[in-house]
Amino acid sequence: MIVAQQLRKRFGDIVAVHEVSLRAEDGQVTGLLGPNGAGKTTTLRLLYGLMRPDAGTVQIDEVDVVADPLGAQAKVGVLPDAHGLYPRLSAREHVRYFGELQGLRGAALEQQIAALIERLDMGGIADRRAAGFSQGERMKVSLARALVHGPNNVILDEPTNGLDVMSTRAVRKLIRELRDEGKCVLFSSHVMQEVSALCDVIVLVAGGRVVARGTPDELRALSGHGDLEDAFVELTGIDDHRADHRADGGQA
Amino acid sequence: MRSWLTAIRIVLRKELLDGVRDRRALFSALLYPLLGPLLSGLLFGFMADKQRDAADVPVPIVHQDRAPELVEWLAGHGVTVVDAPEQPREAVREGEVPFVLSVPEGFEASLAQGTPAQLELIVDGSRNDSRAAISHVQKLLGYYGKELAGQRLLARGIDPEIMHPVIVAEVEVASDQELAASVFAFVPMFVLMATFIGGMQLAVDATAGERERGSLEPLLLNPVPRSAIVVGKWLAAVVFALGCVILTLIACVFVLEYTPVRDLGLSLDLRVPALFGVLLAAAPMALMAAALQVLVASFARSFKEAQTYISLLVFVPMVPAVIGMMTGLERSVGALLIPGVGQQIVVEQLLGGGAATALDYLLPMLSALAVAGACVWLTAWMFRRESVVFGR
């Protein structure tokens, strides 16, 4: 479970995150939805502890991220915004390196690696060097190394960005499976269809604030539009006052 | 503490694997140690050849008939006298012969009258390769002149000794090996430069490269202290630097043992204990070089920028080395404490056949370790800063 309260982050004069509070439950997929520049990536970086908030608190399974970032990072698997690979390491070596850094050793580690290679259908690329990997293959390696320690919480920053249909499907399938295993999955996206197809709860952000939250149906009802895309435009629109007002209503 | 060391080991192993597979990193670590010593070996071998050949160079003389006694004297001293080329000046300028000796008209008459008789030696001062032969023939002609002067004094009943009111005898106090060390000052320089060149590519790739590839953010998401990650990367660069030092030493030994350098009549102390001493002196330098490189590369905003800065860093060990070659470095506590200078002094002393005291090892080691520690600490601090991690 991931709980964030009144997060705030400023870079110089620019306030990237004004005030974001959210709660991602175990056994649910929570989507962080918002247009480009809404503060999604910064919010996620605050959640997984790579950035310190100027104000507010984050807890992952009741571990305070600011006070004990290493303790929190052991409980979460992250696909960050930047997820480059080492061109001279094979897929298996990538996963092994991160598994070792997460404290896994020996047979348990090798078993976990084999299971992830099987699960993400990476058999063909497991022992090839990453230099020539396609976008989809790179994504698979990034996901495998994020999940190698079997974390209870999973944070994914735009996991389907730039992927083709087949790879996107594979990622969606993985997200659903993780939820069905009772894990807490939080991912960000700016793609409407994706969020509506996957999420149990949507948190809508714009201009560094949460403007609405609820199930896809609740958001549709809230905006008065039957189409989720219209709801998105309406709720993240320029009229912040109205959006804020609705956000309050949606919290109920 | 134990988990910290474990994390360092994991990062170190990964960076070494990555480095060994990186053709660029391997090239700079492997090629440099071979290139420098081999090139200078060739150069020194060439010089030795020239010096040896200088005595065998035939002396071309224009108008040999004007100075039969000189020709006879030269032949009597083992010199091959040959006919000069048609155009002596052109021939010298073109480098066909290193010099031409020309006997002007009236040479014999001047000799007979006892007035100074002129000889012309046609040379090209811009040609380095003919210098040895020229000075050899000049020396010979000098002897000839002295012999004539002695004969004339004797003929007038004066002891030729009167020509030498003062005799300067050089008393050489340097051992042969010390002389050799001054000639081979390039060896310490190559060794110390190797500490900077060996880990260079790896240091850039593991820091600025890691960030530019976008693999730094996922790496830092592992529950491992940033300091352990930095130390692991640093040690990987150190391993490459030390490997480069060892290869450089091997290449230097090979060059000095198996090329005509020996004909210069000089020898370096290249016995195993001396070599281990050099390695011991260079090791702290490798720690420092890698730490400087990791720091500078983390500071740079891009891979390219990091490479530029780091290639400039290579000049750091060259400064004391060049000063050492030009003027010699004085062995004092102050000098020993300057990183780079201290190592230079110790290495020179070891290769010169001298023994280095514990203090000689300790002082430069302490200062280099202090610099290395400060650099690693600063890098770890930078790795905790968001602006550095996200390259803002």
Side-chain angles (χ1 to χ4, degrees):
Chain A
M1 189 169 70
I2 300 167
V3 182
Q5 273 166 340
Q6 304 195 308
L7 290 178
R8 188 178 164 82
K9 183 70 182 176
R10 198 165 51 94
F11 300 114
D13 291 336
I14 301 157
V15 181
V17 175
H18 274 279
E19 196 199 327
V20 170
S21 299
L22 61 83
R23 194 180 174 88
E25 301 280 353
D26 290 350
Q28 280 193 348
V29 178
T30 307
L32 196 62
L33 180 65
N36 290 329
K40 297 189 298 291
T41 293
T42 304
T43 301
L44 291 184
R45 282 174 174 166
L46 294 172
L47 293 183
Y48 53 70
L50 222 53
M51 282 185 175
R52 286 173 75 93
D54 295 326
T57 59
V58 186
Q59 286 180 329
I60 296 179
D61 284 353
E62 275 146 37
V63 176
D64 190 296
V65 174
V66 178
D68 181 12
L70 299 189
Q73 279 162 7
K75 294 182 178 298
V76 64
V78 180
L79 176 81
D81 173 45
H83 46 267
L85 302 181
Y86 304 108
R88 294 177 293 271
L89 294 194
S90 72
R92 194 189 298 277
E93 284 162 344
H94 274 90
V95 185
R96 189 179 291 138
Y97 182 38
F98 275 45
E100 286 175 341
L101 288 173
Q102 285 282 359
L104 295 173
R105 296 286 177 277
L109 173 60
E110 293 307 317
Q111 216 172 346
Q112 183 71 359
I113 295 170
L116 279 166
I117 287 173
E118 168 84 34
R119 179 174 198 173
L120 287 162
D121 192 22
M122 290 163 40
I125 59 163
D127 296 304
R128 260 175 46 202
R129 293 196 188 169
F133 283 6
S134 69
Q135 285 276 9
E137 288 165 342
R138 302 173 71 83
M139 181 58 72
K140 284 178 178 178
V141 178
S142 298
L143 286 168
R145 71 177 174 188
L147 299 174
V148 64
H149 54 303
N152 186 47
N153 304 279
V154 180
I155 297 177
L156 311 169
D157 195 350
E158 311 233 355
T160 56
N161 221 3
L163 297 190
D164 63 11
V165 183
M166 289 311 291
S167 304
T168 303
R169 278 192 180 176
V171 171
R172 287 182 187 167
K173 180 165 154 274
L174 177 75
I175 290 176
R176 286 201 192 92
E177 283 172 7
L178 290 169
R179 177 194 59 196
D180 294 343
E181 290 166 16
K183 297 189 191 289
C184 166
V185 183
L186 174 64
F187 80 96
S188 73
S189 178
H190 60 266
V191 184
M192 200 37 71
Q193 295 86 333
E194 184 155 284
V195 174
S196 65
L198 278 172
C199 292
D200 302 304
V201 179
I202 297 174
V203 177
L204 202 56
V205 288
R209 292 174 207 274
V210 175
V211 294
R213 76 189 78 211
T215 64
D217 287 336
E218 281 170 350
L219 287 191
R220 271 189 279 263
L222 191 65
S223 65
H225 290 280
D227 181 46
L228 200 60
E229 193 167 307
D230 289 336
F232 178 68
V233 172
E234 168 85 14
L235 290 168
T236 59
I238 309 151
D239 193 350
D240 267 343
H241 269 296
R242 209 164 44 150
D244 273 345
H245 178 71
R246 289 205 167 116
D248 293 339
Q251 225 160 5
Chain B
M1 189 68 191
R2 227 187 110 196
S3 66
W4 190 68
L5 291 178
T6 310
I8 290 175
R9 214 187 55 225
I10 294 166
V11 174
L12 171 62
R13 204 174 48 210
K14 179 264 163 186
E15 293 299 347
L16 285 179
L17 178 68
D18 213 344
V20 166
R21 290 181 184 173
D22 182 359
R23 222 169 282 161
R24 233 180 338 180
L26 261 195
F27 251 61
S28 60
L30 293 182
L31 205 62
Y32 161 79
L34 303 180
L35 214 60
L38 286 183
L39 277 181
S40 40
L42 282 179
L43 184 78
F44 277 87
F46 188 64
M47 273 171 58
D49 277 350
K50 279 278 161 202
Q51 208 151 55
R52 201 179 32 209
D53 293 348
D56 305 333
V57 170
V59 178
I61 302 182
V62 189
H63 303 302
Q64 290 181 24
D65 51 309
R66 289 178 186 166
E69 278 173 29
L70 173 63
V71 173
E72 202 176 308
W73 185 88
L74 284 174
H77 284 78
V79 175
T80 321
V81 176
V82 295
D83 288 329
E86 290 282 308
Q87 302 280 339
R89 279 162 201 271
E90 303 306 308
V92 170
R93 195 172 298 133
E94 297 300 323
E96 286 166 30
V97 289
F99 58 85
V100 170
L101 186 63
S102 169
V103 184
E105 218 182 327
F107 176 78
E108 199 108 10
S110 295
L111 269 190
Q113 288 161 17
T115 55
Q118 204 184 339
L119 281 174
E120 268 176 13
L121 191 62
I122 303 165
V123 299
D124 182 346
S126 66
R127 286 189 172 273
N128 284 330
D129 54 348
S130 49
R131 219 157 265 171
I134 291 169
S135 71
H136 182 74
V137 76
Q138 275 174 335
K139 230 184 257 170
L140 278 175
L141 293 172
Y143 287 143
Y144 179 64
K146 265 189 197 152
E147 228 178 272
L148 283 182
Q151 284 168 13
R152 284 176 188 176
L153 286 173
L154 274 178
R156 286 167 175 76
I158 300 168
D159 184 354
E161 286 292 304
I162 203 158
M163 291 279 287
H164 307 286
V166 176
I167 293 177
V168 179
E170 277 183 17
V171 183
E172 183 59 77
V173 292
S175 71
D176 281 355
Q177 286 187 338
E178 278 172 318
L179 281 178
S182 70
V183 174
F184 295 123
F186 73 94
V187 174
M189 189 179 83
F190 282 142
V191 169
L192 295 182
M193 275 181 69
T195 64
F196 272 77
I197 288 176
M200 185 161 93
Q201 200 61 42
L202 193 146
V204 176
D205 200 67
T207 52
E210 178 105 58
R211 189 171 54 200
E212 197 151 295
R213 276 193 304 268
S215 55
L216 184 60
E217 201 176 336
L219 174 64
L220 295 182
L221 281 166
N222 291 294
V224 170
R226 305 272 162 99
S227 57
I229 291 174
V230 169
V231 170
K233 289 173 179 296
W234 166 57
L235 288 180
V238 170
V239 169
F240 264 58
L242 282 180
C244 187
V245 168
I246 293 172
L247 278 176
T248 305
L249 275 177
I250 293 174
C252 285
V253 170
F254 178 82
V255 163
L256 295 176
E257 287 288 318
Y258 298 104
T259 64
V261 172
R262 294 186 122 186
D263 295 345
L264 287 174
L266 304 165
S267 74
L268 270 187
D269 190 352
L270 292 172
R271 281 164 308 164
V272 175
L275 291 179
F276 272 103
V278 171
L279 202 57
L280 184 67
M285 187 78 170
L287 293 175
M288 186 186 85
L292 267 173
Q293 288 166 341
V294 168
L295 173 65
V296 168
S298 307
F299 181 75
R301 265 161 300 183
S302 69
F303 191 83
K304 278 261 165 73
E305 201 180 306
Q307 274 187 319
T308 310
Y309 290 161
I310 283 193
S311 42
L312 290 177
L313 266 186
V314 176
F315 290 107
V316 172
M318 281 181 70
V319 175
V322 169
I323 295 174
M325 266 199 279
M326 297 295 176
T327 65
L329 290 164
E330 199 166 335
R331 182 168 159 267
S332 67
V333 173
L336 280 171
L337 270 176
I338 304 172
V341 178
Q343 277 83 2
Q344 172 82 19
I345 294 173
V346 176
V347 172
E348 263 181 25
Q349 204 152 18
L350 284 168
L351 292 178
T357 64
L359 198 68
D360 291 340
Y361 282 113
L362 207 62
L363 289 180
M365 194 179 288
L366 282 181
S367 59
L369 285 181
V371 174
C375 290
V376 171
W377 184 86
L378 249 168
T379 313
W381 175 77
M382 284 176 65
F383 264 62
R384 281 191 286 271
R385 289 181 59 87
E386 290 167 12
S387 58
V388 174
V389 171
F390 297 106
R392 236 171 262 279

